[in-house]
Amino acid sequence: MTKRFEITEARFLAPDVKLLRITAPRIAKRQKPGQFVIVRVAETGERIPLTIAESNPQTGTVTIIVQGIGKTTKMLNRLDAGAAIADVVGPLGKQSDIEKFGTCVVIGGGVGTAIAYPTAKGLKQAGNEVIAIIGGRNRQLVILEDEIRAFADQVIITTDDGSYGEKGLVIDPLKRMIAAGKKVDYVLAIGPIPMMRAVANVTRELKIKRLSVSTRSWWTGPACAAAAGCWWTAKASSRVWTAPSLTRIRWISTF
Amino acid sequence: MANPLKPAERTKIPRQHMPEQDAVARSQNFKEVNLGLTFELAKCEAQRCLECATPKCVNGCPVGVKIKDFVALVLDGKYLEAAAKIREDNILPAVTGRVCPQEEQCEGVCVINKKFGSVGIGYLERFVADYERQSGQVGLPAIAPATGKKVAIIGSGPAGLSAAGDLIQRGHAVTVFEALHDIGGVLIYGIPEFRLPKDIVSNEVENMRRMGVQFETDVVVGMTVTVDELLKEEGFDAVMVATGAGLPQFLGVPGENLCGVYSANEFLTRVNLMKAYRVGEFDTPIYDCRGKNCAVVGGGNTAMDAIRSAKRLGAKNAYIIYRRSEAEMPARLEEIKHAKEEGIQLLLLNNPVEFLGDAKGWLRAARCLKMELGPADDSGRRRPVPIKGSEYELPLDVAIIAVGTSSNPLVQSTTPDIKTRKGGYIEANADTLKTSKPGVFAAGDIVTGAATVILAMGAGRKVAKAMDDFLRSGQW
């Protein structure tokens, strides 16, 4: 008999970044892009929010991609297939606004790519042109390339050290596109806070509908902060949501 | 055995004091403050009862516990029978004996209250319930033959538990869905360990499991599954919404989103449910209150619970900031008394108008206004009126807002055919607690707004009866 919230697959996508597929039929059935789960690994553990990368209603599983930065995420990443997680609650949060915008540029920095992934797929399914810019400090930290190539119209890869794809930052291809006069209707950027700020600065001048996820979370590092932020997405057409203006997540309830 | 004392002799016995942990010691630990009556004290207290022909206390109880009868059984030393007597109307006596505002209910209307101090009904209820639990001989009621009907109860707080305990006895299959990872609702996330030990709640839940109630945690109805899915796809014949009114309210003043300002809801949930006070054993973090200035804004039980928790977490100065006077505070008298003994400073007739932060965005002070009391407002309490020019800054590291809560919006927002009234509370028929959606009932704070454990339990029993009628007749 399956244990509640049993892990059916567990593999590393990058150092410290692990994919976990979890049995959770009700969550799998109702999950929409942008939603998250709250996870408690064991009885004395804390509860943390993590974006759902994808779900499979047929097999009744949901997938999370976790960067092991703090105690709880590291504990989670030590689990393998066959282990069970104490509690997984979801799907929580508002789903991403997915419409036919036109041309969407989805930018993922490091583990931020995992969080942008479900929305990127949803945007493609809604009939948008999806250009994905996936970046990392080096080749090892670029994740989900194959999965995104499977649906995106164009995939550009950047690494800070040039070990894979273009050498440079994720913001560079975006700047190039805009300078070349490409009509961009929507930008989604998820990654370290300085990266998101840079994207916001570039798009600020233009009337691009931009979804920049940003919070200052004291739980763990930027990746999980962005994950938590998916719950509280800031939509601003010409205003910039930068980290200092969103002081912290107001933890009102688990919902 | 009848009470051997004449009424005049009985009133000469003073009301017995509840043994308590020493105030200074207990302000540093989370163990229960009240230690419980001893056998001698209980007998003495039971002897004070005048055994009125028409006991007012029974009417004063929201669920009609047969107080006169159980007190007589205590006097006779028949404690297990006394417990059974209470359980006829109240399935959580160990809880209510501790948290009911008896001064507003049974004890408030006791005939000897004004002149001699009421019979310690709450103390006696607790005594009996604890005896029963410790004896291991909890008399579980008989279960009627299975009806083949399935009921879903949404929410495992007092209303949900009370309805579940009743419906299971009537032979229906009962599943309680709970959003959190543990059972009890406000009993486990809201009320602290030092007022209501969690063992007591888990004990009662275990009793319910033994009776056959199923519990499913980590299910947020409205997100994980909808009411319609429960009725149409998961085979439930009726649904009861008991999701409560736990959505915290804030003051709406500038600076409320500074780091260091919390809702009482968050603060208490970290401490009570997530056991953040057991540093090193449990992972959930909480603000380090040691040596700090902490204030709670509000005057109800939640406010008392929050500030007394902050004190126990090491606060150097623990303030209550309340805009009216002590007489208007809604908290239980015993909580206010205990709080003062523990060193909580009551800043009465004070109100924060702004929270001030430092360069990094952390709270450093509250700008407060002094108040005076004007004429009564809608609630019947005197309205606080600001005194011009009385502003001052109170240095603070933590501010906890405990000014009230509103309805849990989740089920309603995902089930549009459930009618609500102003504030998002579910409209339910006064007698049957039926909502506007066929097959769906509602009870507890989600209907009435934030109230008490005992009222929720009373509503749970009422709705169980109406649900039973519906399930058996099939008529809505």
Side-chain angles (χ1 to χ4, degrees), chain B residues 73-93:
Chain B
L73 288 164
V74 171
L75 191 56
D76 271 354
K78 297 185 177 144
Y79 307 127
L80 292 180
E81 291 171 42
K85 182 58 59 182
I86 298 174
R87 276 188 189 278
E88 285 172 15
D89 301 287
N90 172 5
I91 63 149
L92 299 174

Side-chain angles (χ1 to χ4, degrees), chain A residues 174-195:
Chain A
L174 177 65
K175 281 192 207 160
R176 256 195 343 256
M177 256 182 252
I178 291 172
K182 172 100 184 150
K183 183 173 176 289
V184 174
D185 302 296
Y186 177 99
V187 174
L188 169 62
I190 307 192
I193 287 172
M195 170 228 156

Side-chain angles (χ1 to χ4, degrees), chain B residues 98-121:
Chain B
R98 287 166 163 81
V99 310
C100 265
Q102 290 93 356
E103 70 265 22
E104 292 168 26
Q105 297 169 174
C106 51
E107 294 184 13
V109 295
C110 172
V111 291
I112 63 170
N113 186 33
K114 283 205 175 70
K115 256 183 116 173
F116 305 104
S118 120
V119 171
I121 300 168

Side-chain angles (χ1 to χ4, degrees), chain A residues 29 47 71 87 90 248, chain B residues 181 218 223-224 233 261 283:
Chain A
K29 184 177 165 208
R47 297 167 57 104
K71 180 174 180 184
D87 300 282
R248 64 187 176 88
Chain B
H181 57 264
D218 300 325
M223 304 299 280
T224 315
E233 296 170 29
V261 182
D283 292 341

Side-chain angles (χ1 to χ4, degrees), chain A residues 4-5 26 29-30 40 44-47 71 87-91 93 218 247-248 250-252 254-255, chain B residues 179 181 216-218 220 223-224 226 229 233-234 248 250 256-257 261 270 274 281-285 410:
Chain A
R4 211 173 66 129
F5 308 128
R26 281 203 184 104
K29 184 177 165 208
R30 295 187 54 80
R40 188 177 74 135
T44 58
E46 52 170 349
R47 297 167 57 104
K71 180 174 180 184
D87 300 282
V88 180
V89 194
W218 52 265
T247 49
R248 64 187 176 88
R250 190 172 289 292
W251 192 95
I252 291 175
T254 62
F255 323 131
Chain B
H181 57 264
E216 278 203 49
T217 55
D218 300 325
V220 181
M223 304 299 280
T224 315
T226 62
E229 283 168 345
E233 296 170 29
E234 298 208 13
F250 287 88
E256 215 165 13
N257 65 344
V261 182
R270 285 178 187 270
M274 308 306 295
E281 287 176 69
F282 284 80
D283 292 341
T284 296
L410 260 178

Side-chain angles (χ1 to χ4, degrees), chain B residues 333-348:
Chain B
L333 290 180
E334 191 176 46
E335 308 319 323
I336 302 174
K337 164 180 171 290
H338 283 161
K340 288 199 272 191
E341 288 164 357
E342 288 159 17
I344 309 301
Q345 300 166 59
L346 301 184
L347 300 179
L348 300 165

